[in-house]
Each structure stands twice: as structure tokens, then as C-alpha cells.
Amino acid sequence: DFWRIFRKGSMRIQCEVEVLYSLSHGGNLGKSTRKKAVISLERKEASKSKLVCDGKKNQIFLVLATTQNPSGTKYIVEGNIEKIYHKYLKEGKATIKFKEPAHLLSINKADPKQLHCLVHLLQSSPQNQRKEQLAPQLSLKVESVPAKLVVISQRGYPVNGFPPTLQRFEAVGISLSRIDRRLTALENLKCLNLSNNNISTIPESLQSIPLVELNLAGNKIEEYPLALCLGNIATSLQSLDLSRNLLICLPTGFVQLHQLVRLKLDCNKLVTLPKSFGKLRNLKYFSASSNQITLLPHTFRKLYLESIDMYGNPFAGSGLLRRCDNLSIPCLQELAARVIRKERLRYSPQILPVRMCHYLDTAKQCLCGKACFDSYLHHVAHLNLHAISSTVTSVNQQGKTTVPVELFLCSARCIKLWKQ
């Protein structure tokens, strides 16, 4: 019995409703505000209801309940609906025009599938046709579009495209050599798992998808594109797994993934991390074990993590790497370059000499945040990982938890502050 699905207390449609008065019945639309409401269908016997219509034993009502009227306003369905406007059903919008009372119910922000079923039911109730005669027509089945798709073999890989409402796609260990570009057209895709395949490159077009989770572990990826640090993915990505690949470095713009919470870079060939890695303020779970990292950027100490694993990296020792005797008197070229960096001025070979452009590209960031070029002190200090994380995995078999952090100091004042 399809009507049983919509009986009061069973399935309800949550939406926003604006009640208007029909002009064709002498009403006045006036000013009205949208209110949050719940719409349901209810069947009651005529003897139990205040609304009796033509002596029918069973009457079906559309019940509109709001915060101000929890018991709900009841509208007779059969023979009382003049017209239904359903052009924008896919957007969760519809308008129902009743005869008595002469009301227009403007429905908005409803679930499209539920609203589609409701409209079909209301349209399938002619004025002079009994419900018993409608029973065969009310077996409407709304086709459920899959939100998750798991492919376990190449034979089962979708050839004719993907459902537009797909939210999660998994194709693990089926020897894929590339990422299907058709996936970039899925605006609702949130989770993509293509681990343990033979993928070597990541298409830049992936930046347009607002992914929340991306798992590309166990592939042959050598480079993470800078384009994937921009676009929709930059503001949505929370979990990224690039472990067991061939990565040597990460782009400088990687720190633009501000929403990143979980990052796995284990078993790659990473030599270093981006200088501004500490800008990943939402990062909570980080692992980069079994890489070739020798030094960490000084911004690394700004992280506040729940868990960190840096085991198996050939970390260097601490100490002074570069001494400079003219910290207090930088050269004129350095002073000019510092101003350009401080004011964030654009530069290119069309504006400045090529040699100066190359010089600006060699900038190091001092502990104070300023740029330095030739006049700086290069030092390596120790950082205890317990200072930035609740759970720490030791970095070697001896249980060591300290790592070397690279420091650049541009003045005697910065050296004094660091020592303090």
C-alpha cells in the first residue's frame, strides 16, 4: 500500500513553505514569509475528522505543520487540487493550488525525490476516481541513483560513464594506468580512492572537483601538480594519501590546502618539505616515514598535531651550517630585494634584469618572517616532536623523538631572540 509510506508519523518532507491566497478566488497575495515546515499525507475516517466531504468514509489530507502550528493545517486532497506547478521539481520546488481554501502552497528546499513522489500521488488522485481503482498506479518506484560505486576488476569498470550524483568512487588494485577524466565532470564527488594501481600522473582538471578525501597510495606518481593546490579542491580537501609513490618534492603552493586534516606521505623519495609547511593549521594527522628528509623547515614547529610519524628518515645533526660576518650591513642588492619581497611586488624579466629575478628566487625566510638572501646565519636546531603532537612515533630504533629544524637568522636581533 503506497499510501502507507506517507501516513503521518512515517515519512515526512522537511522544507520551506510560503502560504499565499489565490487571486482567482478574490484573494490578495500581500506580503508573506517562508517558514520551515513539515508536509505529510494523512488518512482519516470522516467520522473522526472535522472535514467531511460528500460522505466518503475515508478521506486523505495534506497536512502542513509549522513551529507556530504543530498540529498542522489540513487540506483535502481528492477533488480539491486545482493545479500543481512542478517545473522545478529537480531543485526541490513546487507549488500546489487548492480550491478550498483558496491557498497556494509554495514549497522550496525540499528533497527532490520525496517531492517527486508527493506530486505524483497528488496527480494520481482524480476527482471522480476512487482510491481502490488507483492502487495499481500508486506502485511508483523512484529510481535510486547510487551515491557509491566500488569497482573490483577492470571488467566491472563503467564504460558508459558515471552517475551524475556519484559521491564516492573506489577502484583499488585493478591496474589502472591513468585517472579517468570523466571523473572530473562529477560535481558531487567527495571521496576518490584509486590506491594500488599504476597511475603515474594526476590530471590538473581534478582541481575542479570539491573532493574531501583523495587516496592515491601505492601508485607511481612522481609529482603533485601545483594546480591541485588551487580551485575547488583546495578549499574542500581534508584527507590526502600519497604514500608509496615516487614523490621527490611537493610544490610550494601545497600549503594552500588549508582544510587538510590528514596527510600521508610515507614511503616516497621526499628530500624536504615546503618552507611554509607550518601554514597547514588544520593538519592533525601527519606521517612521512621512510623518505629521504634530512632537515625540516622552521615553520614545522607551528603545527599542532594529534599524531605524527617521521620514522626512517636520514635526519642530519644540529649545529651551525653557515656563518656571516656582515649581518648588520647587508649589500645594496640584498636591501632592494628585501623591499621587493616585503611589499610583495611583482617581478619578471620584462620588469627587472634576469640576474635580479634569479636572485629574488633564492630568498630564505628568517625566523622573524622577513626574507634574506646573502646576509643570514644558517643554523640547525633540534625540535622535540612531543612539543607539537599528542602522539609521537620515534624517528629511529633507539626511540629518538627529536628532529633537526632548519633556521635562517637575518640579523643579530633575530639571533638574540632565538637564543632567548
Side-chain angles (χ1 to χ4, degrees):
D1 188 1
F2 197 69
W3 286 100
R4 192 177 302 167
I5 299 176
F6 286 95
R7 68 187 176 186
K8 189 174 182 180
S10 177
M11 182 177 181
R12 300 181 177 186
I13 300 178
Q14 295 184 355
C15 57
E16 288 186 0
V17 175
E18 185 176 6
V19 181
L20 305 171
Y21 294 93
S22 177
L23 290 172
S24 60
H25 289 73
N28 183 12
L29 289 176
K31 292 184 178 180
S32 178
T33 58
R34 291 189 179 276
K35 298 179 181 179
K36 291 184 178 180
V38 175
I39 294 178
S40 60
L41 291 181
E42 178 182 347
R43 179 201 295 169
K44 284 189 177 182
E45 295 184 3
S47 58
K48 297 180 182 180
S49 174
K50 296 180 181 179
L51 300 176
V52 181
C53 182
D54 299 333
K56 292 183 180 180
K57 294 183 179 180
N58 293 309
Q59 191 62 264
I60 297 170
F61 303 96
L62 184 147
V63 182
L64 174 65
T66 61
T67 308
Q68 294 77 14
N69 184 13
S71 59
T73 303
K74 297 180 182 179
Y75 298 89
I76 297 176
V77 171
E78 295 190 53
N80 193 37
I81 298 177
E82 186 173 330
K83 193 170 183 179
I84 300 177
Y85 303 90
H86 52 81
K87 184 178 180 180
Y88 300 102
L89 266 182
K90 293 182 179 179
E91 300 178 12
K93 300 178 182 180
T95 301
I96 304 173
K97 185 177 182 180
F98 289 99
K99 296 179 180 178
E100 294 294 336
H103 286 178
L104 286 168
L105 298 189
S106 178
I107 303 171
N108 192 22
K109 295 184 180 181
D111 182 87
K113 294 180 183 178
Q114 293 182 341
L115 191 59
H116 175 80
C117 291
L118 175 65
V119 169
H120 179 84
L121 282 173
L122 298 179
Q123 288 178 332
S124 301
S125 181
Q127 181 176 355
N128 299 320
Q129 192 173 11
R130 297 181 59 82
K131 183 186 73 65
E132 289 78 12
Q133 296 174 333
L134 288 175
Q137 301 179 24
L138 296 178
S139 59
L140 172 68
K141 294 182 180 179
V142 178
E143 182 182 356
S144 59
V145 182
K148 179 180 179 180
L149 180 60
V150 179
V151 179
I152 59 175
S153 66
Q154 284 193 348
R155 180 178 297 181
Y157 196 86
V159 179
N160 299 323
F162 300 91
T165 57
L166 194 64
Q167 297 181 11
R168 187 181 188 93
F169 179 64
E170 298 181 10
V172 179
I174 62 172
S175 302
L176 291 177
S177 59
R178 60 183 179 85
I179 297 178
D180 196 333
R181 294 187 180 275
R182 293 179 298 174
L183 291 170
T184 61
L186 301 177
E187 298 179 354
N188 297 311
L189 191 63
K190 301 299 180 185
C191 301
L192 179 60
N193 186 352
L194 300 176
S195 57
N196 300 329
N197 285 288
N198 298 319
I199 300 170
S200 58
T201 58
I202 308 175
E204 294 184 355
S205 54
L206 211 62
Q207 68 168 334
S208 61
I209 310 177
L211 285 174
V212 175
E213 179 181 342
L214 177 60
N215 189 342
L216 296 173
N219 282 282
K220 300 178 180 179
I221 300 170
E222 298 181 359
E223 181 183 6
Y224 187 85
L226 177 61
L228 264 67
C229 304
L230 308 170
N232 293 331
I233 195 172
T235 57
S236 63
L237 193 62
Q238 297 180 17
S239 177
L240 177 61
D241 191 346
L242 295 171
S243 56
R244 293 178 288 115
N245 277 284
L246 305 174
L247 294 171
I248 298 177
C249 64
L250 296 174
T252 306
F254 191 83
V255 297
Q256 299 299 321
L257 301 175
H258 297 301
Q259 301 303 319
L260 205 58
V261 175
R262 187 182 299 271
L263 176 61
K264 298 190 69 176
L265 300 171
D266 309 281
C267 302
N268 278 280
K269 298 181 179 180
L270 292 172
V271 178
T272 184
L273 295 175
K275 299 296 182 183
S276 301
F277 194 81
K279 289 185 178 180
L280 296 174
R281 298 300 175 87
N282 288 316
L283 190 64
K284 297 299 179 185
Y285 305 92
F286 175 62
S287 60
S289 61
S290 302
N291 280 278
Q292 301 299 318
I293 301 174
T294 56
L295 293 172
L296 294 173
H298 73 89
T299 57
F300 200 80
R301 60 189 176 86
K302 296 182 179 180
L303 297 174
Y304 296 95
L305 305 173
E306 296 291 335
S307 175
I308 186 171
D309 183 2
M310 299 290 293
Y311 180 84
N313 283 283
F315 288 119
S318 61
L320 184 64
L321 297 182
R322 182 182 186 273
R323 183 184 298 276
C324 182
D325 297 327
N326 62 338
L327 283 178
S328 58
I329 312 174
C331 67
L332 186 59
Q333 184 182 26
E334 172 138 1
L335 291 175
R338 288 186 181 186
V339 172
I340 293 174
R341 282 287 188 172
K342 181 181 178 180
E343 300 298 331
R344 297 182 179 181
L345 301 177
R346 292 186 178 183
Y347 63 90
S348 67
Q350 289 75 32
I351 303 174
L352 296 175
V354 176
R355 183 179 176 182
M356 187 62 177
C357 291
H358 291 326
Y359 186 77
L360 286 164
D361 291 338
T362 63
K364 284 83 177 174
Q365 188 178 25
C366 176
L367 200 62
C368 65
K370 297 179 181 179
C372 52
F373 298 86
D374 291 324
S375 183
Y376 64 86
L377 193 72
H378 191 186
H379 191 84
V380 176
H382 278 305
L383 171 68
N384 194 325
L385 294 178
H386 285 289
I388 62 171
S389 178
S390 303
T391 305
V392 176
T393 301
S394 59
V395 298
N396 57 21
Q397 294 181 351
Q398 287 73 38
K400 185 179 179 181
T401 59
T402 57
V403 292
V405 176
E406 190 175 31
L407 298 177
F408 295 97
L409 306 170
C410 69
S411 65
R413 181 175 176 271
C414 293
I415 296 174
K416 184 179 179 180
L417 289 174
W418 171 68
K419 288 182 178 180
Q420 291 176 351

